[in-house]
Coordinates of all heavy atoms in Angstrom, one line a residue:
K29 N -80.7 -150.0 -24.9 CA -80.1 -148.7 -24.4 C -81.2 -147.7 -24.3 O -82.0 -147.6 -25.2 CB -79.1 -148.2 -25.4 CG -77.7 -148.9 -25.2 CD -76.8 -148.0 -24.3 CE -75.5 -148.6 -24.0 NZ -74.9 -148.2 -22.8
I30 N -81.1 -146.9 -23.3 CA -82.0 -145.8 -23.2 C -81.5 -144.7 -24.1 O -80.4 -144.3 -24.1 CB -82.1 -145.2 -21.7 CG1 -82.7 -146.3 -20.8 CG2 -82.8 -143.9 -21.6 CD1 -82.5 -146.1 -19.4
L31 N -82.5 -144.0 -24.8 CA -82.2 -142.8 -25.6 C -82.8 -141.6 -24.9 O -84.0 -141.6 -24.7 CB -82.7 -143.0 -27.0 CG -82.6 -141.7 -27.9 CD1 -81.1 -141.5 -28.2 CD2 -83.4 -141.9 -29.2
A32 N -81.9 -140.7 -24.4 CA -82.4 -139.5 -23.8 C -82.2 -138.3 -24.8 O -82.9 -138.2 -25.8 CB -81.8 -139.3 -22.4
G33 N -81.2 -137.5 -24.5 CA -80.9 -136.4 -25.4 C -80.2 -136.9 -26.7 O -80.1 -136.2 -27.7
G34 N -79.5 -138.0 -26.6 CA -78.9 -138.6 -27.8 C -77.5 -138.0 -28.1 O -76.9 -138.4 -29.0
Q35 N -77.1 -137.0 -27.2 CA -75.9 -136.3 -27.6 C -74.6 -137.1 -27.4 O -73.6 -136.8 -28.0 CB -75.8 -135.0 -26.8 CG -76.9 -134.1 -27.0 CD -77.0 -133.7 -28.5 OE1 -76.1 -133.1 -29.1 NE2 -78.1 -134.2 -29.2
S36 N -74.6 -138.1 -26.6 CA -73.5 -139.0 -26.5 C -73.8 -140.3 -27.1 O -72.9 -140.9 -27.8 CB -73.2 -139.2 -25.0 OG -72.8 -138.0 -24.4
L37 N -75.0 -140.8 -27.0 CA -75.3 -142.2 -27.5 C -75.3 -142.2 -29.0 O -74.8 -143.1 -29.6 CB -76.7 -142.6 -27.0 CG -77.1 -144.0 -27.4 CD1 -76.1 -145.1 -27.0 CD2 -78.5 -144.3 -26.8
V38 N -75.9 -141.2 -29.7 CA -76.0 -141.2 -31.1 C -74.6 -141.2 -31.8 O -74.4 -142.0 -32.7 CB -76.9 -140.1 -31.7 CG1 -76.9 -140.0 -33.2 CG2 -78.4 -140.4 -31.2
P39 N -73.7 -140.4 -31.4 CA -72.3 -140.5 -31.9 C -71.7 -141.9 -31.7 O -71.0 -142.4 -32.6 CB -71.5 -139.4 -31.2 CG -72.5 -138.4 -30.7 CD -73.8 -139.2 -30.5
I54 N -87.0 -142.4 -24.1 CA -87.7 -142.0 -22.9 C -88.3 -140.6 -23.0 O -88.9 -140.1 -22.0 CB -86.9 -142.2 -21.6 CG1 -85.6 -141.3 -21.6 CG2 -86.5 -143.6 -21.3 CD1 -84.9 -141.2 -20.2
A74 N -85.0 -136.7 -14.8 CA -84.1 -137.3 -15.7 C -84.0 -136.5 -17.0 O -83.0 -136.4 -17.7 CB -84.4 -138.7 -16.0
H78 N -79.7 -129.6 -20.2 CA -78.7 -128.8 -19.6 C -79.0 -127.3 -19.7 O -78.7 -126.5 -18.9 CB -77.4 -129.0 -20.4 CG -76.9 -130.5 -20.4 ND1 -77.1 -131.3 -19.4 CD2 -76.3 -131.2 -21.4 CE1 -76.6 -132.5 -19.7 NE2 -76.2 -132.5 -20.9
W96 N -71.2 -124.6 -18.9 CA -69.9 -125.0 -19.5 C -70.0 -126.2 -20.4 O -69.0 -126.7 -21.0 CB -68.9 -125.3 -18.4 CG -68.3 -124.0 -17.7 CD1 -68.9 -123.3 -16.7 CD2 -67.1 -123.4 -18.0 NE1 -68.2 -122.2 -16.4 CE2 -67.0 -122.3 -17.2 CE3 -66.1 -123.6 -18.9 CZ2 -65.9 -121.4 -17.2 CZ3 -65.0 -122.8 -18.9 CH2 -64.9 -121.7 -18.1
I97 N -71.2 -126.8 -20.5 CA -71.3 -128.0 -21.3 C -71.5 -127.7 -22.7 O -72.4 -127.1 -23.2 CB -72.5 -128.9 -20.8 CG1 -72.4 -129.2 -19.3 CG2 -72.7 -130.1 -21.7 CD1 -73.6 -129.9 -18.7
G98 N -70.5 -128.2 -23.5 CA -70.6 -128.1 -25.0 C -71.1 -126.7 -25.5 O -70.7 -125.7 -25.1
I102 N -76.1 -128.7 -28.0 CA -75.9 -129.9 -27.2 C -76.7 -129.7 -25.8 O -77.4 -130.6 -25.3 CB -74.4 -130.1 -26.9 CG1 -73.8 -130.6 -28.2 CG2 -74.2 -131.1 -25.8 CD1 -72.5 -130.0 -28.5
R105 N -80.5 -130.4 -26.0 CA -81.0 -131.8 -26.0 C -80.5 -132.6 -24.9 O -81.2 -133.4 -24.3 CB -80.5 -132.4 -27.3 CG -81.1 -131.9 -28.6 CD -82.6 -132.1 -28.7 NE -83.0 -133.5 -28.5 CZ -84.2 -133.9 -28.2 NH1 -85.2 -133.0 -28.0 NH2 -84.5 -135.2 -28.0
G106 N -79.2 -132.4 -24.5 CA -78.6 -133.3 -23.5 C -79.3 -133.2 -22.1 O -79.8 -132.1 -21.8
T107 N -79.3 -134.3 -21.4 CA -80.1 -134.3 -20.1 C -79.1 -134.6 -18.9 O -78.0 -135.1 -19.1 CB -81.1 -135.5 -20.2 OG1 -80.4 -136.7 -20.3 CG2 -82.1 -135.3 -21.3
A109 N -79.7 -136.8 -16.4 CA -79.5 -138.2 -16.1 C -78.6 -138.8 -17.2 O -77.8 -139.7 -16.9 CB -80.8 -138.9 -16.0
G110 N -78.7 -138.4 -18.4 CA -77.9 -138.9 -19.5 C -76.4 -138.6 -19.2 O -75.5 -139.5 -19.4
S111 N -76.1 -137.4 -18.7 CA -74.7 -137.1 -18.4 C -74.2 -138.0 -17.3 O -73.1 -138.5 -17.4 CB -74.6 -135.6 -18.0 OG -73.3 -135.3 -17.7
A113 N -75.3 -141.0 -16.4 CA -75.3 -142.4 -16.8 C -74.2 -142.6 -17.8 O -73.6 -143.7 -17.9 CB -76.6 -142.8 -17.5
H114 N -73.8 -141.6 -18.6 CA -72.8 -141.7 -19.6 C -71.4 -141.8 -18.9 O -70.5 -142.4 -19.4 CB -72.8 -140.6 -20.6 CG -71.9 -140.7 -21.8 ND1 -71.9 -141.7 -22.6 CD2 -70.9 -139.9 -22.2 CE1 -71.0 -141.6 -23.5 NE2 -70.3 -140.5 -23.3
A119 N -66.8 -134.8 -17.7 CA -68.1 -134.1 -17.8 C -68.3 -133.3 -16.5 O -67.8 -133.7 -15.4 CB -69.2 -135.1 -17.9
E120 N -69.0 -132.2 -16.6 CA -69.2 -131.3 -15.5 C -70.2 -131.9 -14.4 O -69.9 -131.8 -13.2 CB -69.8 -130.0 -15.9 CG -68.8 -129.1 -16.7 CD -68.6 -129.5 -18.2 OE1 -69.3 -130.4 -18.6 OE2 -67.8 -128.8 -18.8
L157 N -75.0 -148.7 -12.4 CA -76.4 -149.0 -12.8 C -76.4 -150.3 -13.6 O -75.4 -150.6 -14.3 CB -76.9 -147.9 -13.7 CG -77.1 -146.5 -13.1 CD1 -77.5 -145.6 -14.3 CD2 -78.2 -146.5 -12.1
E161 N -81.7 -150.7 -15.6 CA -82.1 -149.6 -14.7 C -82.2 -148.3 -15.4 O -81.3 -148.0 -16.3 CB -81.2 -149.5 -13.5 CG -81.5 -150.5 -12.4 CD -80.6 -150.4 -11.2 OE1 -79.4 -150.2 -11.4 OE2 -81.1 -150.5 -10.1
L162 N -83.1 -147.5 -15.0 CA -83.3 -146.2 -15.5 C -83.2 -145.1 -14.4 O -83.8 -145.3 -13.4 CB -84.7 -146.2 -16.1 CG -85.4 -144.9 -16.5 CD1 -84.9 -144.4 -17.8 CD2 -86.9 -145.1 -16.6
I163 N -82.4 -144.1 -14.6 CA -82.4 -143.0 -13.6 C -83.7 -142.2 -13.9 O -83.9 -141.7 -15.0 CB -81.2 -142.1 -13.7 CG1 -79.9 -142.9 -13.4 CG2 -81.3 -140.9 -12.8 CD1 -78.6 -142.1 -13.6
G184 N -66.5 -124.7 -25.3 CA -67.3 -125.8 -25.8 C -66.7 -127.1 -25.8 O -67.3 -128.2 -25.9
D185 N -65.3 -127.2 -25.7 CA -64.6 -128.4 -25.6 C -64.9 -129.1 -24.3 O -65.2 -128.4 -23.3 CB -63.1 -128.3 -25.7 CG -62.7 -128.1 -27.2 OD1 -63.6 -128.1 -28.1 OD2 -61.5 -128.0 -27.4
F186 N -64.7 -130.4 -24.2 CA -64.7 -131.1 -22.9 C -63.6 -130.5 -22.1 O -62.5 -130.1 -22.6 CB -64.5 -132.6 -23.1 CG -65.8 -133.4 -23.2 CD1 -66.3 -133.7 -24.4 CD2 -66.5 -133.7 -22.1 CE1 -67.5 -134.4 -24.6 CE2 -67.7 -134.4 -22.2 CZ -68.2 -134.8 -23.4
Ligands
LIG301 C1 -69.9 -131.9 -29.5 C2 -70.3 -132.4 -28.1 C3 -69.7 -131.7 -27.1 C4 -70.0 -132.1 -25.8 N1 -69.5 -131.4 -24.7 C5 -69.8 -131.8 -23.5 C6 -69.1 -131.1 -22.4 O1 -68.4 -130.1 -22.5 N2 -69.5 -131.5 -21.1 C7 -70.3 -132.6 -20.9 O2 -70.6 -133.0 -19.8 N3 -70.9 -133.2 -21.9 C8 -70.7 -132.8 -23.2 N4 -71.3 -133.5 -24.2 C9 -72.2 -134.6 -23.9 C10 -73.6 -134.1 -23.5 O3 -73.5 -133.5 -22.3 C11 -74.6 -135.2 -23.4 O4 -75.8 -134.5 -23.3 C12 -74.5 -136.1 -22.2 O5 -73.3 -136.7 -22.0 C13 -75.5 -137.3 -22.3 O6 -76.8 -136.8 -22.2 P1 -77.9 -137.3 -23.2 O7 -79.2 -136.9 -22.6 O8 -77.6 -136.7 -24.5 O9 -77.8 -138.8 -23.2 P2 -77.8 -139.9 -24.4 O10 -76.8 -139.6 -25.4 O11 -79.2 -140.1 -24.8 O12 -77.3 -141.2 -23.5 C14 -76.0 -141.3 -23.0 C15 -75.9 -142.6 -22.2 O13 -76.7 -142.5 -21.0 C16 -77.7 -143.5 -21.0 N5 -78.9 -142.9 -20.4 C17 -79.5 -141.7 -20.8 N6 -80.5 -141.4 -20.0 C18 -80.5 -142.3 -19.0 C19 -81.3 -142.5 -17.9 N7 -82.3 -141.6 -17.6 N8 -81.1 -143.6 -17.1 C20 -80.1 -144.4 -17.4 N9 -79.3 -144.3 -18.5 C21 -79.5 -143.3 -19.3 C22 -77.9 -143.9 -22.4 O14 -78.4 -145.2 -22.6 C23 -76.5 -143.8 -23.0 O15 -75.8 -145.0 -22.6 C24 -71.0 -133.1 -25.5 C25 -71.6 -133.8 -26.6 C26 -71.2 -133.4 -27.9 C27 -71.8 -134.1 -29.1

Side-chain angles (χ1 to χ4, degrees):
K29 277 265 175 208
I30 293 163
L31 174 68
Q35 298 304 295
S36 299
L37 182 57
V38 171
I54 61 169
H78 305 323
W96 285 83
I97 300 174
I102 289 141
R105 292 297 305 161
T107 65
S111 178
H114 186 59
E120 288 81 1
L157 294 172
E161 279 181 315
L162 164 80
I163 296 177
D185 278 4
F186 268 97

